[in-house]
Amino acid sequence: MGTWKSKNRHKYLLQYHIIFVCKYRKKLLIPKQISDDIKQFSHEICQKHNVIIKYKETDKDHIHYMIETLRSIPCGEPTMSISKIVNLMKSDTTYHIWERYPNYLIKQFWKGRTFWTDGYFACSV
């Protein structure tokens, strides 16, 4: 599951299950290379922002993440909201995947530079 984090007078473990779905439910994650690249990009993005991806798995048209957020040091508030984490992950993975596979993606979307649906699923664990 996860390891409790401890500070002076409190313990915490903030984990979330998040799902992103490909725009129009297109089965864009079937090619292993695209799926692996998105996983790698996600990992790099989260590392920069102090978010730990515990698990990540793709299906044909969506990706599941189990993430753990950390709290900032003196006040103990979460470093970033879930909506901000989702926004960063979705926008950055879209940017990187379009940089790497423009010819493949231009055939999939009539409106360029899109990859994920506008919404997402998130729940606390």
Side-chain angles (χ1 to χ4, degrees):
M1 173 135 157
T3 305
W4 294 95
K5 307 295 185 268
S6 295
K7 297 296 176 197
N8 290 341
R9 296 185 181 140
H10 60 277
K11 287 188 176 203
Y12 60 91
L13 178 60
L14 302 172
Q15 292 184 329
Y16 303 93
H17 178 199
I18 299 174
I19 302 172
F20 303 158
V21 178
C22 294
K23 189 84 164 183
Y24 309 121
R25 280 278 186 184
K26 289 186 177 272
K27 296 178 180 7
L28 300 174
L29 302 176
I30 291 175
K32 183 166 175 29
Q33 188 61 44
I34 290 177
S35 174
D36 290 346
D37 284 348
I38 287 179
K39 289 177 185 178
Q40 181 60 38
F41 296 143
S42 300
H43 180 74
E44 292 168 8
I45 293 160
C46 285
Q47 256 187 333
K48 281 194 299 190
H49 297 285
N50 215 15
V51 173
I52 300 165
I53 297 179
K54 303 297 258 178
Y55 305 103
K56 54 188 175 268
E57 196 57 57
T58 57
D59 199 353
K60 298 170 190 158
D61 61 358
H62 64 279
I63 186 167
H64 292 259
Y65 296 101
M66 175 70 72
I67 65 166
E68 186 174 311
T69 61
L70 302 177
R71 290 181 175 235
S72 61
I73 306 222
C75 64
E77 294 298 318
T79 54
M80 196 179 307
S81 69
I82 292 302
S83 61
K84 180 69 173 168
I85 293 167
V86 166
N87 182 281
L88 282 168
M89 289 175 69
K90 286 172 72 173
S91 62
D92 286 3
T93 55
T94 298
Y95 173 80
H96 288 297
I97 213 72
W98 270 91
E99 289 293 306
R100 187 155 297 176
Y101 303 101
N103 295 332
Y104 174 72
L105 294 173
I106 201 74
K107 295 174 188 171
Q108 304 294 323
F109 298 108
W110 60 272
K111 181 180 177 185
R113 301 294 178 176
T114 189
F115 193 83
W116 304 111
T117 60
D118 293 338
Y120 62 93
F121 170 84
C123 73
S124 59
V125 177

